[in-house]
DNA sequence: CAGTGGTCTAGACCACCGC
DNA sequence: CGGTGGTCTAGACCACTGA
């Protein structure tokens, strides 16, 4: 098969290398859902490893829902699930597009500064660290659906200073340019402050869903985002199985 | 070692049986965090399986964070994380207890009925299915923190008709008595209806976090719960890694 | 029927780390 | 040093299912 760009990076255990080699084109969108992945025998031969090692990598990808495996028919790229979108992607523009609505974005603030005490706490960096401050309002069908307050550590993503964010959202840009290894979400309800209410065109004190996300690359904080949506504009859905299963 | 009640249930692949056998006492709280789990060699001998099979079970438990493994020192029960509580347990009384507060529970409604159209939709059963309706208010330190509206399919859990719920919460009872294989959460913000506001002693229209949970055993719906908490009373936290890792 | 994945085995070498 | 887990191999048998 030409065009199969799966290569091992030589970093870490073989089964993790194989897993990454296959996960990479799937997550990047290069392999469309339904595309067939080489069989275990083919991968054995290609990488010169035993079948157990290949199986371990593929079984793990199947456990995460990135691929689906069926006897006889083989392994194929799985359709992205809403669950994965919730806990992995967090790209509001993609979510809006998936819902079939048109997405618009307004950049309300963009400035570099040294982190204040409060910002440093949020981003988990020392006070005075250079940061990029962003404030954006995302709309679907003309109605505001999410206010994005974001801090980005300039040290973790220096190239972000060249980006104007006229068409691409900061979350998307970061996903594309800065690999992350760890993320933390916190989810809560809150009443809209006057400023947030103004931007979202809702009454002050109206119920909002607030998601805060931090990401790291190793021990290095990358970004802090607070995403505020009016009640009803966003529902997070997750599917789970008992810890003893799977 | 006396008192190690790990037994295989003979259901499904060996590595899953071993995984369940170890996960069960951990999730039930019978094995305290830090407790040492038998080494791979001991488990090999006890169950008469190969080391690969034991390793597969333990590696999987480690991946979920139920145990921690260290070379030489062995495998121990991990401390429960807030993340696990959010996505697995959902036992409000345990969460309150962990936070060091006293938990109280008031049963406001308990009746059996045939599911109305709306209830049938929520529980994903046909209209007219026998259900148990429950309404409870959970308090911490005397202040209401969560209103629980719950439907239980009588067919899936007939023994629940004998339970009065004076000391044990329905969620806890179900976890203890009805094994589930699949759960779905949805999370959103909403404004308190007059009735909910009354029970939670907040103003009508105040912001609330609403979590809806459905569980199944195979294809059989077990329960639907809507858990409403005042803004600020509850924050859900999750930690994640990229889909290509781990 | 034949291709595919699901599982399991018996054994091996290695890295880590407490004693 | 020796116990522990981390990884990998080569091979085996089986279950499922599409052609």
């Amino acid at each position: 098969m030409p065009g199969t760009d799966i290569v091992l990076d030589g970093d870490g255990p073989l089964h993790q290398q194989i897993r990454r080699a296959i996960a990479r084109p799937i997550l990047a969108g290069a392999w469309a859902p339904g595309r067939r992945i080489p069989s275990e025998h083919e991968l054995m031969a290609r990488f010169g490893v035993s079948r157990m090692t290949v199986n371990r990598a593929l079984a793990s990808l199947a456990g995460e829902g990135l691929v689906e495996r069926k006897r006889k028919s083989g392994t194929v790229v799985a359709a992205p699930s809403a669950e994965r979108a919730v806990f992995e992607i967090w790209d509001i523009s993609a979510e809006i597009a998936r819902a079939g609505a048109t997405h618009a974005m307004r950049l309300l603030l963009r400035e570099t500064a040294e982190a204040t005490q409060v910002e440093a706490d949020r981003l988990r960096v020392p006070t005075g660290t250079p940061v990029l401050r962003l404030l954006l309002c995302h709309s679907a069908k003309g109605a505001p659906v999410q206010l994005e307050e974001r801090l980005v550590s300039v040290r973790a993503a220096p190239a972000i200073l060249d980006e104007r964010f006229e068409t691409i959202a900061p979350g998307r840009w970061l996903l594309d340019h800065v690999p992350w290894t760890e993320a933390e979400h916190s989810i809560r309800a809150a009443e809209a402050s006057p400023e947030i209410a103004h931007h979202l065109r809702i009454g002050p004190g109206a119920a909002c869903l607030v998601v805060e996300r931090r990401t790291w690359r190793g021990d290095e904080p990358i970004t802090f985002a607070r995403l505020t949506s009016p009640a009803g504009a966003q529902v997070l859905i997750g599917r789970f199985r008992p810890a003893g299963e799977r």
Side-chain angles (χ1 to χ4, degrees), chain A:
Chain A
M1 312 294 147
T4 44
D5 47 351
I6 42 182
V7 287
L8 302 190
D9 52 22
D11 184 23
L14 276 172
H15 69 265
Q16 286 183 18
Q17 293 184 46
I18 295 171
R19 176 210 192 85
R20 276 194 302 271
I22 295 174
R24 203 178 300 123
I26 295 177
L27 293 171
W31 290 3
R35 166 169 179 152
R36 194 163 178 288
I37 282 168
S39 74
E40 297 190 349
H41 269 98
E42 287 175 297
L43 292 172
M44 277 176 66
R46 178 168 328 193
F47 298 133
V49 300
S50 79
R51 198 182 139 219
M52 272 296 292
T53 306
V54 171
N55 180 277
R56 187 169 173 181
L58 291 182
S60 153
L61 289 172
E64 287 173 25
L66 255 66
V67 303
E68 283 175 4
R69 318 195 71 187
K70 260 185 264 169
R71 283 163 162 142
K72 169 65 178 180
S73 45
T75 304
V76 298
V77 176
S81 69
E83 172 188 355
R84 223 172 79 204
V86 168
F87 295 121
E88 298 280 348
I89 314 282
W90 268 111
D91 177 359
I92 181 78
S93 51
E95 270 188 66
I96 292 171
R98 168 150 50 177
T102 57
H103 167 253
M105 188 175 71
R106 208 149 46 89
L107 183 60
L108 303 170
L109 174 73
R110 182 191 189 285
E111 64 182 17
T112 53
E114 298 187 343
T116 65
Q117 172 97 51
V118 168
E119 291 173 332
D121 279 355
R122 288 184 180 157
L123 195 49
R124 311 272 198 252
V125 294
T127 308
T129 301
V131 296
L132 180 68
R133 285 184 197 132
L134 296 168
L135 180 65
L136 299 97
C137 184
H138 298 269
S139 305
K141 295 184 193 162
V145 292
Q146 186 173 93
L147 192 69
E148 172 176 352
E149 302 166 81
R150 186 178 286 272
L151 296 170
V152 183
S153 164
V154 172
R155 186 171 61 169
I160 202 168
L161 298 178
D162 300 327
E163 177 59 46
R164 298 285 103 187
F165 299 116
E166 283 161 5
T167 57
I168 189 171
R172 181 74 253 169
W173 188 93
L174 285 164
L175 283 175
D176 290 342
H177 292 82
V178 185
W180 56 281
T181 60
E182 190 102 20
E184 182 186 290
H185 291 172
S186 81
I187 305 170
R188 60 177 211 274
E191 303 187 343
S193 69
E195 189 194 341
I196 286 178
H198 168 71
H199 289 306
L200 290 176
R201 297 200 218 296
I202 55 179
C208 291
L209 188 68
V210 180
V211 176
E212 292 182 350
R213 174 179 188 159
R214 292 180 179 82
T215 58
W216 289 262
R217 177 177 194 175
D219 291 332
E220 173 89 20
I222 302 172
T223 186
F224 165 86
R226 175 184 290 162
L227 310 169
T228 305
S229 306
Q234 193 163 31
V235 179
L236 313 181
I237 295 179
R239 277 192 158 257
F240 307 93
R241 319 184 68 172
E245 305 294 323
R246 176 119 279 284

